[in-house]
Amino acid sequence: MIQKTNDHLEHCIKVEGLKKTFLNGTVPVEVLKGLDFTIAPGEFVSIMGPSGSGKSTLLYLLGALDTSSEGAVLLNGKNLGSMKAREKRVLRRRELGFVFQFYNLVPNLTVEENILLPIILDGKPIKKYKKRLEELLHIIGMEDRRTHTPKKLSGGQQQRVAVARALIFNPDVLLLDEPTGNLDSTNSESLMKLIVDINRTFKTTVVQVTHSDKFAAWGHRIIHLEDGLLQKQA
């Protein structure tokens, strides 16, 4: 089993004076208004807030999917804002894992092919990741469905495959954007138990955006946003 070796770091993610402004026509709208916080290696943090509070925007900035207007996001000491586009693409494949509300699986690929897709896109030899694939299939309980395509899977099973795909490179950080948003209560709880197990087993830093008070509390800490400002941390 692959274990993390970044426990010596004071923080995995550091946010400094983070601002993000969008243009609504010609009118600037400040979505994030200067955020400062850190997330420790192996921590599980939930981000909550009402619609329009900036929580999804924040998650995209943490994942190098967007660029800030001011301030900085540092991942393991590396400033995401100073990276070139190609460097960000590599970082997103190898050091960050993403799971979204919609599973985003490739319909004509099997379970194991979907999980291995980041390896293929990165140009790595698949055979070197066979052991990792078997480990992840066992963790998500999908060994017997490895050759199934997404249309033969339930929503909960598809989201588990999406989680395994996000973990194939054993990333430092797993970013979750409303991961239970399309699931019923039973599958939602099962998925969250899986996320907690991954956090504990692999020491993966987990950051989730959620509307659920119940599932937010499964993390170590909750960051509350409102009107683009950090309200409190619990």
Side-chain angles (χ1 to χ4, degrees):
M1 183 177 294
I2 302 173
Q3 295 291 340
K4 294 297 177 187
T5 58
N6 60 355
D7 291 343
H8 66 285
L9 294 173
E10 181 182 349
H11 58 262
C12 179
I13 297 172
K14 187 172 185 179
V15 173
E16 299 177 325
L18 191 65
K19 295 184 179 182
K20 180 64 180 181
T21 300
F22 294 101
L23 285 177
N24 184 6
T26 59
V27 179
V29 178
E30 198 172 19
V31 178
L32 298 177
K33 302 174 182 178
L35 305 182
D36 294 276
F37 63 87
T38 61
I39 297 175
E43 192 174 11
F44 183 168
V45 173
S46 300
I47 300 173
M48 297 195 74
S51 296
S53 62
K55 55 188 184 298
S56 289
T57 298
L58 173 58
L59 193 75
Y60 297 154
L61 291 171
L62 297 182
L65 291 170
D66 200 357
T67 55
S68 63
S69 302
E70 291 183 39
V73 175
L74 288 84
L75 175 66
N76 294 332
K78 294 178 288 189
N79 190 332
L80 302 187
S82 63
M83 288 184 171
K84 296 179 180 178
R86 182 184 179 280
E87 293 174 318
K88 287 184 179 181
R89 289 195 297 270
V90 173
L91 176 129
R92 286 195 296 266
R93 284 198 300 268
R94 300 179 185 177
E95 298 182 45
L96 299 168
F98 294 89
V99 178
F100 299 98
Q101 179 176 345
F102 300 99
Y103 324 122
N104 296 332
L105 301 181
V106 180
N108 61 329
L109 297 184
T110 65
V111 165
E112 64 175 22
E113 288 169 342
N114 266 289
I115 294 173
L116 288 169
L117 187 58
I119 304 299
I120 297 169
L121 294 175
D122 204 59
K124 301 285 191 216
I126 291 177
K127 63 182 180 180
K128 289 187 177 181
Y129 290 85
K130 287 294 185 180
K131 184 177 179 180
R132 177 67 171 166
L133 171 64
E134 298 299 330
E135 182 179 35
L136 290 172
L137 284 169
H138 175 70
I139 288 171
I140 66 172
M142 301 280 285
E143 298 106 311
D144 60 339
R145 290 177 171 81
R146 62 193 305 149
T147 61
H148 289 197
T149 53
K151 67 180 180 181
K152 297 181 179 179
L153 305 176
S154 69
Q157 289 170 335
Q158 289 188 60
Q159 194 64 304
R160 284 173 168 264
V161 175
V163 169
R165 178 182 60 190
L167 294 172
I168 189 65
F169 267 118
N170 196 34
D172 292 328
V173 180
L174 181 62
L175 301 172
L176 311 166
D177 191 7
E178 298 286 357
T180 62
N182 272 356
L183 304 179
D184 59 29
S185 59
T186 300
N187 278 309
S188 292
E189 185 146 338
S190 177
L191 181 74
M192 290 308 301
K193 287 179 179 177
L194 172 65
I195 299 302
V196 169
D197 186 50
I198 288 165
N199 172 250
R200 291 173 178 169
T201 302
F202 297 119
K203 310 301 181 187
T204 305
T205 304
V206 177
V207 183
Q208 73 158 338
V209 163
T210 181
H211 279 101
S212 169
D213 291 312
K214 175 184 176 181
F215 294 134
W218 287 35
H220 303 139
R221 179 162 54 101
I222 301 174
I223 293 176
H224 293 268
L225 290 181
E226 189 169 346
D227 295 328
L229 294 169
L230 181 65
Q231 296 299 311
K232 61 179 180 178
Q233 300 185 51

